[in-house]
Amino acid sequence: MRVAIILAAGQGTRMKSAMPKVMHKLAGRPMINHLIAAAEPVFDRIIVVAGPGMPELERAVAPHASVIQAERLGTGHAARMAAPLLEGFAGDAAVLYGDNPLITTATLERLVAARSDADLALLAMRPGDPAKYGRVVQDATGAVTRIVEWADASEEERAIGLCNAGVVCAAWTDLSRWLSGLGNANRQGEYYLTDVVAAAHGEGRRVQAVEAPEAELRGINSRVELATAEAEVQARLREAAMLSGATLVQPASVTLSWDTKLGRDVVVDPNVVFAPGVTVEDEVAIRAFSHLEQCVVRRGAIIGPYARLRPATEVGEGAHVGNFVELKAAHLGAGAKANHLTYLGDVTVGAAANIGAGTITCNYDGVNKHRTEIGAGAFIGSDTALVAPVRVGARAITAAGSVVTEDVPEDSLAIARGRQVNKPGRGVKGK
Ligand code: UD1
Ligand code: MG
């Protein structure tokens, strides 16, 4: 049995935000949920230490348990908050930092494996710029003796390249004893989790540092660091998408979400954004500058360029959605086409229907939303306004420029526009 305690009570002052730091998103998902996803395969139980007044954090981590650290007295104090939930627990416990969300499952597995050879295992890195990370101090034999926080370190200690990533793992019986022995006589007046290393060493226990790449162990304290982490997450997602059979013509220009699903032989042109909740089936083409969110695109469809797919949309097999077309809660049947300058909201479009340029569903009357139904094989003439609720039957036609306020029976033609009047001699010259 193994437990992970994730520290996330800090407000994250350096983010300058009303939102708790760990709720800031990477690839469309709060950073804490990235960390939880990496930890779940390795730990049987996860306990998150939240701050007071962070209900959104507690909701985001559910069904995992949260405990509250009422006063922010340091990382060591925060870890202690999990103790009431772990009375009598005899397994291993790891402490992770919520602002360290890029750690992979493989690295956490190396950490717990190292813990079976040592009494305390910790993750360390050698960052290009060690900045203000805590430094891992070793003795002449290479044994880890303690971690010194940047604020408390001497010039000599600040020159150490090996930095603390903030993850430790030990038997809970040991860790909880070391945590209760912590003091706060340091520069920041905080109970440092990092001091458990010196406590272990003081008992003559073996401490082992497991090194991993900086790209995984980087902490996020500011929005500048958030952007660096976003770049790392995007790089991983793009690589995974390409390895599973999607072509990204210009990968760096495509923004993916943590849950984006791209099928085989999907081709994504430059400058496409996938917000959360998008599934794209095989052989779909997504052309430049399209934005997709919470939608399903069925096999062989063509989207864009410049298309916007909003939530609850489904584009059927082989359907076409062209430039400057916005879909919201729209279901397009197989082979349907809406190729130019159109808004389709709260609508069902039957198979092979053709939606002319400039078609608008007038779905909102200022108070309520209403539905439009367009039957299979219907032909909606250019610049038709469909005033919902309204139905256009299968194979019906609406004349260009119509304002359709009444249902159109199947197989009929609706013309709903003013008749043209030509006045001879009243052209430019006759004014
Ligand atoms: C910490 C480490 C440092 C390490 C760095 C790696 C300590 C004392 N220092 O510094 O050695 O190099 O992480 O990123 O641990 N938190 C609480 N309650 C508190 C204080 C913090 O829950 O009272 C949480 C924060 O929400 C955050 C995490 O603990 O998720 C780490 O705290 P942070 O203030 O970011 O520590 P660093 O200064 O980055
Ligand atoms: Mg930090």
Side-chain angles (χ1 to χ4, degrees), residues 14 21 99 219-221:
R14 287 168 277 179
K21 172 161 73 176
D99 67 345
I220 299 175
N221 300 298

Side-chain angles (χ1 to χ4, degrees), residues 7 9-10 21 69 72-75 78 97 99 133-134 149 164 221:
L7 308 187
K21 172 161 73 176
Q69 183 194 22
R72 199 188 176 288
L73 300 179
T75 48
Y97 292 166
D99 67 345
Y133 287 115
E149 285 306 293
N164 172 39
N221 300 298

Side-chain angles (χ1 to χ4, degrees), residues 348-391:
T348 309
V349 177
N354 187 86
I355 311 294
T359 297
I360 302 287
T361 50
C362 310
N363 61 328
Y364 185 47
D365 59 15
V367 182
N368 295 308
K369 300 275 170 70
H370 303 281
R371 294 201 60 82
T372 298
E373 284 176 36
I374 297 170
F379 183 98
I380 307 298
S382 293
D383 203 21
T384 297
L386 296 155
V387 183
V390 73
R391 288 175 183 211

Side-chain angles (χ1 to χ4, degrees), residues 227-277:
T228 308
E230 178 74 34
E232 168 69 21
V233 173
Q234 288 296 335
R236 288 184 198 175
L237 291 168
R238 291 176 195 130
E239 186 176 302
M242 292 187 280
L243 290 175
S244 62
T247 294
L248 307 185
V249 174
Q250 210 179 89
S253 74
V254 175
T255 302
L256 297 167
S257 282
W258 65 280
D259 61 349
T260 305
K261 291 187 189 71
L262 303 182
R264 280 175 171 240
D265 294 315
V266 165
V267 177
V268 182
D269 283 351
N271 297 299
V272 173
V273 176
F274 294 92

Side-chain angles (χ1 to χ4, degrees), residues 120-146:
L120 175 69
L122 62 91
L123 289 183
M125 60 180 159
R126 294 182 187 276
D129 172 15
K132 298 197 171 179
Y133 287 115
R135 302 299 204 268
V136 179
V137 181
Q138 291 161 293
D139 67 14
T141 69
V144 175
T145 55
R146 66 192 179 100

Side-chain angles (χ1 to χ4, degrees), residues 81-371:
M81 298 297 111
L85 270 61
L86 293 174
E87 263 172 52
F89 173 61
D92 280 359
V95 182
L96 281 65
Y97 292 166
D99 67 345
N100 243 322
L102 302 175
I103 295 182
T104 59
T105 300
T107 294
L108 291 173
E109 265 157 7
R110 283 171 56 217
L111 174 81
V112 299
R115 145 68 194 127
S116 50
D117 304 333
D119 298 299
L120 175 69
L122 62 91
L123 289 183
M125 60 180 159
R126 294 182 187 276
D129 172 15
K132 298 197 171 179
Y133 287 115
R135 302 299 204 268
V136 179
V137 181
Q138 291 161 293
D139 67 14
T141 69
V144 175
T145 55
R146 66 192 179 100
I147 289 171
V148 59
E149 285 306 293
W150 186 87
D152 304 291
S154 63
E155 278 310 312
E156 220 169 55
E157 287 165 335
R158 285 179 185 175
I160 297 173
L162 192 63
C163 292
N164 172 39
V167 180
V168 295
C169 184
W172 173 246
T173 45
D174 289 333
L175 188 58
S176 54
R177 184 179 64 257
W178 298 329
L179 287 172
S180 10
L182 294 179
N184 64 351
N186 52 52
R187 274 281 172 80
Q188 303 180 82
E190 288 188 0
Y191 296 91
Y192 292 162
L193 170 67
T194 45
D195 286 346
V196 299
V197 175
H201 181 74
E203 286 182 8
R205 304 299 201 88
R206 202 172 118 65
V207 180
Q208 185 166 345
V210 176
E211 285 191 46
E214 178 191 11
E216 275 189 46
L217 299 184
R218 193 178 266 147
I220 299 175
N221 300 298
S222 69
R223 295 191 200 235
V224 175
E225 290 167 358
L226 183 70
T228 308
E230 178 74 34
E232 168 69 21
V233 173
Q234 288 296 335
R236 288 184 198 175
L237 291 168
R238 291 176 195 130
E239 186 176 302
M242 292 187 280
L243 290 175
S244 62
T247 294
L248 307 185
V249 174
Q250 210 179 89
S253 74
V254 175
T255 302
L256 297 167
S257 282
W258 65 280
D259 61 349
T260 305
K261 291 187 189 71
L262 303 182
R264 280 175 171 240
D265 294 315
V266 165
V267 177
V268 182
D269 283 351
N271 297 299
V272 173
V273 176
F274 294 92
V278 176
T279 298
V280 178
E281 293 186 354
D282 297 351
E283 291 160 30
V284 165
I286 314 253
R287 302 204 163 133
F289 294 100
S290 294
H291 188 285
L292 295 84
E293 180 179 9
Q294 280 179 50
C295 61
V296 180
V297 182
R298 302 271 176 226
R299 192 185 186 100
I302 301 176
I303 306 296
Y306 298 98
R308 177 159 186 218
L309 274 48
R310 293 175 51 205
T313 286
E314 184 178 328
V315 176
E317 210 171 303
H320 293 186
V321 177
N323 39 257
F324 307 107
V325 173
E326 174 180 350
L327 305 185
K328 189 224 67 173
H331 281 228
L332 260 59
K337 290 182 184 162
N339 270 330
H340 331 268
L341 300 156
T342 287
Y343 172 62
L344 296 173
D346 302 302
V347 63
T348 309
V349 177
N354 187 86
I355 311 294
T359 297
I360 302 287
T361 50
C362 310
N363 61 328
Y364 185 47
D365 59 15
V367 182
N368 295 308
K369 300 275 170 70
H370 303 281
R371 294 201 60 82

